[in-house]
Amino acid sequence: MIQVAAVILTDENGRILICKRAQGASCAHLWEMPGGKLEPGETPEQAAVRECQEELGVQVVLGGVYAKTEYSYPDKTIEFTFFNGRIVSGEPEMRVHEEMAWVLPSQLKEYEFCPADVGLVQKLAADRQMERVQMPHTAAQLIRILHENGHEAWAVGGCVRDSLLGKNPTDWDLCTSAKPEEVKACFSGVYRVLDTGLKHGTVTVLADKEIYEITTFRQESDYADHRRPQQVQFVSSVEEDLARRDFTINAMTMDVDGTIVDPFGGQQDLQDGILRCVGEPAKRFEEDGLRILRLVRFAATLGFSVEESTKKAAMEKRHILRWVAAERSIKELNAMLCGGYAAPVVAEYGLVLACLMPQIEPALTHPYSEDKTLWEHAADTLSDAEQNPLVRWAMLLRDVGKPYCGEGYRGHAEVSAQIAQEILHGLKLDKAGRNTICQLIRFHGVRPARDAVNVRRWMQLLGPEQLEYLVQIWRADAKVRGDSEEDLQAFCKELERCKEQDCWTVNQLAVTGGNLLTEGLAQPGPSTSRLLEWLLHEVVEGRVENTRQALLEQARKWSE
Ligand code: ATP
Ligand code: MG
């Protein structure tokens, strides 16, 4: 009989999730997640990975399975501890039952539950660290060509960071000692070369259908408007180039053979999950306010903690954020909101975010419960929504109007929708996105009836995609209120049926404007579309079936 079981999973950042739970071997008992159960044909381990992914919205990899089993003999009881099905020595010490926590490999000792396991888990973590993503062939080829021409060249920045984290980098930026003209000379005739960023030392090379930016080692100075360096000086050493970069984890280079240049301890910070400025934080943020936003974004996406002096400076220098172009801000904010660790970061950095959207300020202090502000509560619920910026914005701003409303918060949804419109307009989010978010906020407090007519009305109003988003918000609010899931589940069931069988747009009607004209039921012009709209209304309300015959008959009534 297995009494204690644990599954060890690692996330995309190489951190480890230890899930421990007393009693029962199957993962249905391991997780306290809603609906936690084995799908047909699934092993408990596969279920754990799937459920963890669904619940946390992050990629997870199965690290190992840990279990404690008790065998009873007539005269005694013996406990065995297993790791990945093998017996390991040592008595598991289940200090904390029913615990689930992401930990960094370096923190494993604190989570010790069985001495023998710690070594195994650490090895597992180390093995994963080795699994860095290989440099793509073309990037390596470009570096080699620069080498052959007598220049230094490296992959640099985000791609090195992501590669060390075992994540596939989105793009591979290169840096080199070669001056831009020399870079061009190395590649012209071999690849297509664009010199759009030449002034700042960047040459763009189109190789094997990929775009590579190759930037000459440089220093920046005289930042104008806390954003743009006025002067760019080419320098000769890679270390000098790395010194201008924002965070230690972004200030590393990698050679084709995997050699790393890391003058600021980026690898250690990556291991420990720490975000730290290169150089003096206050000065670095003063130079370029965008770095403050990048900091918050990396915290929310990587789940790293922010080193104290970096955090302090970000708070102190937050007003510099208003110099950042809205187009840059919204990009960072969207990425931040969709981060797997957005909830605690958004809660903590409310004051920073308020520099970009002062309308949220009242929510930062408005009490929600004894120990939470309205803002903290909104941030908390972010992880209940999918990683889509539209839903997450709606989630975050849905109650932002409450402090502006009187007692009982009457009309707060509409007020919140208007504030959101204002905020997002200021941040230059596109109009379609803004409107979706505002609709979601406007209707977030509704408790929808589950009958077919009502579901079709919602479909007609919002369409399947937006309605799907709204359901997530309704679900999160139901969870907060402690309502049973039953009503919403029934609504969703009806929604699924409706999607398959029902009609909620004019295009889905069994008749077209052309049909109505040939039947002599409508005249050319806008009255035809009015008639179609009316027919749709009748179908949605369940008064007419969506068949050609029924609709033509109904149309006759309209003309009469
Ligand atoms: P992402 O995964 O979003 O691409 P990234 O770190 O690669 O993250 P990029 O904008 O592609 O971000 O920048 C590439 C590199 O340039 C960074 O890793 C960092 O070294 C440097 N960098 C980018 N923006 C700044 C900045 N505002 N200040 C200093 N260095 C920066
Ligand atoms: Mg990048």
Side-chain angles (χ1 to χ4, degrees):
M1 175 193 56
I2 294 178
Q3 278 194 326
V4 179
V7 171
I8 298 165
L9 303 153
T10 53
D11 75 354
E12 71 227 66
N13 299 322
R15 296 184 315 171
I16 290 175
L17 174 68
I18 300 175
C19 298
K20 296 182 268 181
R21 187 148 167 77
Q23 294 172 354
S26 105
C27 287
H29 300 277
L30 261 178
W31 311 99
E32 286 184 297
M33 295 169 188
K37 64 173 195 297
L38 297 183
E39 297 286 349
E42 219 174 29
T43 65
E45 293 79 27
Q46 286 165 340
V49 171
R50 177 180 53 74
E51 291 186 352
C52 216
Q53 248 154 226
E54 284 165 8
E55 176 77 1
L56 303 168
V58 297
Q59 276 308 115
V60 293
V61 178
L62 187 67
V65 180
Y66 159 83
K68 186 182 128 185
T69 307
E70 202 176 71
Y71 286 91
S72 300
Y73 295 93
D75 54 338
K76 62 179 175 199
T77 304
I78 301 180
E79 283 180 355
F80 294 98
T81 307
F82 295 87
F83 184 78
N84 281 348
R86 279 191 300 119
I87 295 180
V88 292
S89 57
E91 285 294 292
E93 195 191 311
M94 295 302 293
R95 281 192 311 237
V96 200
H97 291 283
E98 301 177 10
E99 183 182 348
M100 206 164 91
W102 288 108
V103 295
L104 291 162
S106 57
Q107 295 169 331
L108 270 177
K109 282 232 150 37
E110 292 167 36
Y111 281 82
E112 194 165 330
F113 48 88
C114 167
D117 283 348
V118 175
L120 280 165
V121 175
Q122 266 168 348
K123 182 173 173 307
L124 188 94
D127 288 350
R128 278 194 54 76
Q129 294 290 332
M130 301 295 285
E131 284 171 24
R132 70 169 65 156
V133 176
Q134 293 293 312
M135 191 182 296
H137 175 76
T138 312
Q141 184 63 15
L142 297 180
I143 291 179
R144 279 196 202 98
I145 293 176
L146 286 160
H147 284 176
E148 282 160 14
N149 284 277
H151 306 295
E152 268 185 57
W154 310 80
V156 68
C159 60
V160 180
R161 175 198 69 220
D162 289 346
S163 161
L164 292 174
L165 287 172
K167 282 203 271 193
N168 240 329
T170 44
D171 41 32
W172 289 78
D173 296 329
L174 309 183
C175 64
T176 178
S177 59
K179 300 289 180 296
E181 289 305 325
E182 295 173 315
V183 177
K184 276 173 75 177
C186 288
F187 297 111
S188 52
V190 187
Y191 295 118
R192 234 184 111 197
V193 180
L194 312 169
D195 44 23
T196 32
L198 215 58
K199 207 172 74 192
H200 295 104
T202 303
V203 173
T204 306
V205 173
L206 272 158
D208 304 333
K209 298 199 184 111
E210 298 279 344
I211 291 174
Y212 290 90
E213 295 203 329
I214 308 180
T215 306
T216 305
F217 295 158
R218 61 170 210 227
Q219 255 176 356
E220 296 168 344
S221 51
D222 296 342
Y223 291 80
D225 310 338
H226 302 288
R227 179 74 191 100
R228 287 185 301 275
Q230 294 298 83
Q231 295 218 5
V232 174
Q233 282 151 348
F234 296 133
V235 293
S236 57
S237 80
V238 64
E239 281 85 1
E240 281 174 284
D241 179 86
L242 292 175
R244 75 173 164 90
R245 295 174 184 272
D246 49 6
F247 307 111
T248 58
I249 59 164
N250 291 340
M252 295 184 271
T253 61
M254 186 195 270
D255 204 345
V256 281
D257 64 358
T259 319
I260 303 278
V261 175
D262 174 19
F264 305 104
Q267 289 174 97
Q268 189 61 50
D269 283 345
L270 215 50
Q271 274 259 340
D272 298 342
I274 290 174
L275 288 163
R276 185 196 312 271
C277 277
V278 171
E280 194 194 314
K283 192 166 149 255
R284 302 312 311 282
F285 291 142
E286 186 86 39
E287 288 171 353
D288 179 359
L290 183 65
R291 290 173 191 154
I292 300 176
L293 265 190
R294 283 173 56 89
L295 177 79
V296 179
R297 186 253 291 191
F298 285 123
T301 51
L302 299 175
F304 284 15
S305 54
V306 180
E307 176 272 331
E308 273 314 307
S309 70
T310 299
K311 185 186 286 186
K312 192 160 158 266
M315 282 290 180
E316 274 171 19
K317 298 290 176 190
R318 64 183 187 272
H319 299 290
I320 295 173
L321 277 183
R322 66 192 165 85
W323 295 90
V324 178
E327 292 82 357
R328 301 300 295 259
S329 300
I330 190 74
K331 208 170 138 254
E332 294 296 333
L333 291 172
N334 283 343
M336 170 197 80
L337 283 178
C338 292
Y341 309 89
V345 175
V346 169
E348 182 171 5
Y349 290 89
L351 273 176
V352 170
L353 299 173
C355 292
L356 292 173
M357 31 187 180
Q359 297 91 333
I360 65 165
E361 238 161 60
L364 298 182
T365 48
H366 192 85
Y368 169 78
S369 61
E370 256 177 34
D371 58 344
K372 268 200 190 114
T373 64
L374 196 57
W375 182 256
E376 286 165 337
H377 168 67
D380 258 2
T381 57
L382 280 177
S383 41
D384 290 329
E386 68 178 278
Q387 286 167 301
N388 169 316
L390 301 176
V391 205
R392 292 224 163 168
W393 271 114
M395 210 73 171
L396 184 66
L397 299 178
R398 70 196 196 277
D399 286 340
V400 79
K402 274 187 177 174
Y404 297 88
C405 299
E407 220 167 293
Y409 303 135
R410 279 199 56 170
H412 83 268
E414 189 53 41
V415 176
S416 301
Q418 279 168 22
I419 293 174
Q421 184 65 253
E422 197 181 296
I423 289 175
L424 298 167
H425 186 266
L427 288 168
K428 303 217 170 128
L429 184 75
D430 61 277
K431 195 169 165 197
R434 275 189 337 249
N435 290 345
T436 299
I437 295 166
C438 291
Q439 287 284 68
L440 297 176
I441 295 180
R442 189 164 285 131
F443 299 121
H444 82 267
V446 176
R447 295 185 204 188
R450 57 169 93 170
D451 57 281
V453 173
N454 192 53
V455 172
R456 280 196 299 269
R457 284 179 186 154
W458 280 110
M459 284 289 260
Q460 190 190 359
L461 183 66
L462 299 176
E465 199 177 55
Q466 279 192 31
L467 189 52
E468 198 67 47
Y469 297 158
L470 188 56
V471 166
Q472 295 182 40
I473 300 175
W474 284 338
R475 188 172 288 130
D477 272 334
K479 193 170 127 187
V480 170
R481 286 195 301 264
D483 288 357
S484 110
E485 285 230 342
E486 197 200 327
D487 281 346
L488 209 48
Q489 266 165 7
F491 181 91
C492 291
K493 203 168 152 212
E494 185 55 33
L495 179 59
E496 285 311 310
R497 193 205 54 75
C498 171
K499 271 196 222 163
E500 304 242 310
Q501 301 169 4
D502 286 3
C503 157
W504 61 88
T505 65
V506 167
N507 294 341
Q508 294 168 309
L509 284 174
V511 293
T512 63
N515 298 150
L516 296 172
L517 291 173
T518 26
E519 294 285 327
L521 292 164
Q523 318 305 321
S527 65
T528 310
S529 61
R530 277 207 298 277
L531 175 51
L532 285 169
E533 285 294 339
W534 179 71
L535 288 174
L536 175 64
H537 177 73
E538 295 293 286
V539 171
V540 166
E541 293 300 316
R543 288 194 279 266
V544 185
E545 262 188 73
N546 186 26
T547 61
R548 190 183 152 94
Q549 201 191 349
L551 290 171
L552 290 178
E553 238 166 68
Q554 193 74 1
R556 256 173 221 117
K557 286 189 199 156
W558 165 275
S559 4
E560 277 159 16

